[in-house]
Structures are given as C-alpha cells and as structure tokens.
Amino acid sequence: MKIAEILKQPSMPIASPSYPHGPYRFVNREYLIITYESDPEAIREAVPEPLEPDGSNTVCYEFIRMPDSSGFGDYTESGVVIPCAYRGEAVNFTAQMYLDCDPPLAGGREIWGFPKKYANPALHVAGDTLTGTLDYAGQRVALGTMGYKHENLIEPGGRDAVAIAEKLSKSQVNLKLVPDVDGTLAIAQLVVYKLSSIEIKGAWRGPARLHLVPHVNAPVADLPVRKVINGTHYIADLTLPYGSVLYDYLARNRSSGTLA
C-alpha cells in the first residue's frame, strides 16, 4: 500500500476502517433529556479547567436513540452533560457517555474526544411513559422516565421550533485525551463543535424522574440528583460536523515552561 493511499484512509484498522469520512447525518434522532439540580462541588470536580460551571448547579442527563446514522449505523447512547461557560460563552461540557455500537464509539473518541464507553442504554415508550435506561456490566445504573408527550412545544401556541434548534446547536465541548506510544499524552485538548442543519420534527415537555445508581465504571451517580427540574423529548434530523480545538493543554504548558 502506497503512502498516499494510507493517508487517505478515514480510520483504523487499515483493512476495514471503523468509520468513513464525515460529516455525519442523523435521521430521526430522538432525545430524552432530564435536567436536574445537583451538588455544586461535584459539578466543579467534574468540569475541567479552564471551563467553569455556569452557576445554575444543573446537570442534563441524556438518553439518545439514533436509528439512522450515516457511517455509524443504528445505536443508542446515554450520558451526562453539564452547562458551563468558557470566557463568557455558554457551552455544554460532555462529562460521560455510554453506547452500544463500535463505529460511533471509536469515531467519537478518536475525532472529537467524546468520553464514550461501551454499555447497554435503551430508550423506548412503555405504555404512557417515555423510558430511558442504562445498564453497565449487567447492572442498572440509570433510569429516566417522562410522561409521554404531555406538552407539545412546537404546535401553535407552543414554543418555536427555531428556538429549540438553537438550543441543540449550542457549542458542545469535550475533553480529548490521547496517549502517545510511550504512555505520555500526545493530545490533551478541549474540542468544540456545533450540530448543524437541524430540522426539528417534534418537541415535548413533561414531568420526569431520574434514578442513578453508584457504579465504579459508570459513575453517573457521582453527580447526585437533588431535584428534577423538567424532562424534554425531541426528535430531529441533524448533522455532526468536524470540530476544532478550543484549548490545547500541552501547547499551553510548553509556552509557559511547565511540565505536562
């Protein structure tokens, strides 16, 4: 194989790349997002400098069903997102993510630095209840429930779909850490990206509850639930584009003369 051919490949392994080149289009992507108040010290501990918690003491727990994802396939994801600020700009920091499919796990970690681990999340309707679950190593670690389609947010008299699309297009930040072959960090960055080409197909709000169980390898309960604020349910088509480097820890350390 020629060098030029190697350099054109989208990912490893070279014999059968795990994922193709992006950007990546998602069709009928379905969200259950439960926003809750948590412990401010636990939030601060989970947020890497130079990001700052936004002061609301809130966390968003997400269950996301992705039945049609170009290059990635059909999978479900669950995780923790913390509202933050970076130099005065409102951003969301993705603290933990769990999913059940290899291509988006590998691509998410390698390209954008998503904190993805393999687990068994699910999102489905059970009777009158939108239900999200997360199982890790055979143990239930998260259970989220929401009354099914109680308040429509985009019908006449409801909230505007444009505002919801703007919310989904808020800057998202990940902490990307990749070791070198000697075990030291080769990459240590905050990576930022924005979802684009968002088409809201449905949006609802309703009463919700969230139960988190302590687990050493899926520590979602380290951000304890103090009070559930609300639940939201979205269905949308959208594009995940490539991102950019927001903050480079290694470059900053080199320029300041400190050790990584």
Side-chain angles (χ1 to χ4, degrees):
M1 184 177 293
K2 303 295 185 182
I3 291 176
E5 294 174 325
I6 295 171
L7 296 179
K8 290 179 181 179
Q9 298 305 308
S11 59
M12 299 186 297
I14 199 72
S16 57
S18 292
Y19 49 88
H21 289 293
Y24 305 91
R25 185 68 178 167
F26 295 78
V27 177
N28 293 327
R29 183 167 175 163
E30 184 172 15
Y31 294 81
L32 167 58
I33 303 174
I34 299 175
T35 302
Y36 68 94
E37 293 180 5
S38 190
D39 179 75
E41 292 185 5
I43 291 173
R44 174 66 275 184
E45 181 67 21
V47 172
E49 294 180 331
L51 297 181
E52 294 287 342
D54 72 351
S56 67
N57 296 332
T58 60
V59 174
C60 298
Y61 195 95
E62 300 184 345
F63 300 91
I64 309 175
R65 181 80 187 92
M66 286 162 278
D68 184 349
S69 309
S70 61
F72 294 146
D74 178 350
Y75 66 105
T76 305
E77 194 163 77
S78 181
V80 177
V81 174
I82 302 174
C84 290
Y86 178 74
R87 296 181 177 176
E89 179 188 356
V91 301
N92 283 333
F93 172 65
T94 306
Q96 300 181 46
M97 297 184 81
Y98 305 90
L99 68 160
D100 58 2
C101 186
D102 179 67
L105 192 157
R109 289 172 64 110
E110 293 170 8
I111 300 172
W112 302 272
F114 283 110
K116 293 175 181 274
K117 296 182 74 173
Y118 188 87
N120 297 106
L123 178 61
H124 64 279
V125 180
D128 59 355
T129 308
L130 182 62
T131 303
T133 58
L134 174 63
D135 293 351
Y136 190 98
Q139 301 298 314
R140 178 65 44 87
V141 296
L143 169 64
T145 56
M146 175 181 162
Y148 188 65
K149 295 186 177 181
H150 277 213
E151 179 185 355
N152 195 325
L153 298 179
I154 60 173
E155 285 187 345
R159 294 182 180 179
D160 186 70
V162 173
I164 297 170
E166 289 176 350
K167 183 176 181 179
L168 289 179
S169 65
K170 183 179 179 181
S171 292
Q172 312 287 321
V173 177
N174 300 327
L175 175 59
K176 182 176 182 178
L177 301 175
V178 179
D180 211 333
V181 293
D182 63 359
T184 62
L185 283 175
I187 296 173
Q189 302 168 337
L190 289 177
V191 175
V192 62
Y193 70 96
K194 287 187 177 184
L195 300 175
S196 62
S197 303
I198 299 171
E199 178 188 349
I200 302 298
K201 294 182 169 181
W204 302 267
R205 182 171 56 190
R209 297 292 185 272
L210 179 64
H211 178 59
L212 304 177
V213 177
H215 192 293
V216 65
N217 285 321
V220 293
D222 285 2
L223 292 160
V225 180
R226 298 288 186 242
K227 178 184 178 182
V228 171
I229 297 172
N230 62 44
T232 49
H233 176 202
Y234 303 137
I235 299 175
D237 296 349
L238 54 85
T239 297
L240 173 61
Y242 291 119
S244 59
V245 177
L246 183 68
Y247 188 92
D248 190 320
Y249 293 94
L250 298 180
R252 296 282 180 145
N253 283 344
R254 286 192 293 268
S255 64
S256 64
T258 59
L259 295 177

